[in-house]
Amino acid sequence: MTNTTPTRREQLRLDTTAEIKRVALALLAEGGPDAIALRAIAREMRMTAGALYSYYATRDDLITALTGDMYTSLVDRTESARDAHPVDAPAARLLAWGEAFRSWAIEHPDGFRLVYGDPVRGYRAPEGGAAPEAASRACAGLTGLVAAAWPPKDEEPADDYDWDDFDPGLAALVKEKFPDLPPAAVALALRVWGRMHGLVALEVYGHLRSQAKDPARLYRAELRDLTRSLGLAD
């Protein structure tokens, strides 16, 4: 049987890596995306810049790792909430996904900004994006919510869409995961994403709370209206 317990040196590296990420997120919270800098992190941790570079060779490497962690955490939350409801309860699954999306964003506003906010100046994501696996899971999850309601009963007739209207990677993912869905369903999935995302982004960036005493109530109403527009029983 293989011993998976990390050695003392391995554990120290894991702990230091986690601390680097915590400090980077704190800098993000204080100064925005551009505040993430390896030298600033080294100062906060009382390390030399050279020592820090042994963990992350470049700032881009660190930002990619942070983005991947945050995006994966988000999708883990939404998938878990969705899967707490049976597949024959599509409205409950959609509501659970949306509520989990908002709760994660409120708990991790800095992570939300990193995944969905303004790009970090000068950052170059690796080919395929900073978090391709998490992005693929999120896309498949949202499309699956729409697939459960397709064709929507109360929607206006769909505009005429072709697969060429969408990113090739997105089109390929949908064709693989949901071969019976037409391109119009992809357009609907993007609209669903927009409705789930919109009020949350306003709240995270501080624009909504000054206007409404209970943003959560507004969001729940938006989700219920969304399920009704898709013809799902609430």
Side-chain angles (χ1 to χ4, degrees):
M1 183 174 179
T2 303
N3 183 8
T4 58
T5 302
T7 65
R8 183 175 181 180
R9 177 175 293 182
E10 290 170 341
Q11 188 61 55
L12 177 60
R13 186 171 184 86
L14 289 172
D15 293 343
T16 303
T17 300
E19 186 178 358
I20 290 169
K21 291 177 178 179
R22 285 195 298 270
V23 172
L25 288 175
L27 291 173
L28 171 68
E30 294 172 6
D34 293 339
I36 299 176
L38 293 183
R39 290 188 178 277
I41 294 169
R43 285 195 300 270
E44 288 287 332
M45 295 179 62
R46 298 180 181 177
M47 296 175 64
T48 65
L52 192 64
Y53 290 141
S54 69
Y55 290 86
Y56 294 100
T58 68
R59 185 191 66 150
D60 284 2
D61 291 339
L62 172 58
I63 292 171
T64 297
L66 285 172
T67 305
D69 286 353
M70 292 293 102
Y71 210 161
T72 299
S73 171
L74 169 59
V75 181
D76 285 347
R77 174 82 67 89
T78 54
E79 287 181 341
S80 178
R82 176 201 62 193
D83 294 343
H85 301 274
V87 294
D88 60 356
R93 286 165 68 85
L94 187 150
L95 290 169
W97 180 289
E99 290 280 12
F101 177 75
R102 177 184 175 272
S103 66
W104 184 91
I106 299 308
E107 292 172 20
H108 304 89
D110 307 319
F112 183 90
R113 293 176 67 189
L114 196 60
V115 175
Y116 292 115
D118 296 332
V120 180
R121 188 182 308 170
Y123 170 66
R124 292 187 178 182
E127 186 176 354
E133 182 180 352
S136 178
R137 288 169 57 195
C139 178
L142 282 167
T143 306
L145 296 175
V146 169
W150 188 264
K153 299 174 184 177
D154 299 332
E155 275 277 308
E156 292 293 325
D159 292 332
D160 195 15
Y161 285 96
D162 296 316
W163 289 113
D164 289 342
D165 292 322
F166 305 102
D167 173 77
L170 172 60
L173 175 67
V174 175
K175 289 178 181 180
E176 176 189 353
K177 301 286 187 182
F178 308 96
D180 296 330
L181 283 183
V186 181
L188 181 57
L190 292 173
R191 290 166 53 201
V192 167
W193 177 33
R195 290 186 66 175
M196 286 187 174
H197 180 93
L199 285 174
V200 172
L202 288 174
E203 186 175 2
V204 168
Y205 280 90
H207 302 299
L208 191 60
R209 189 164 294 279
S210 62
Q211 307 295 326
K213 293 182 179 179
D214 191 355
R217 181 181 178 186
L218 286 176
Y219 190 67
R220 284 191 295 270
E222 179 70 359
L223 290 179
R224 291 193 182 99
D225 185 66
L226 176 56
T227 61
R228 287 192 292 270
S229 74
L230 293 174
L232 300 176
D234 190 350

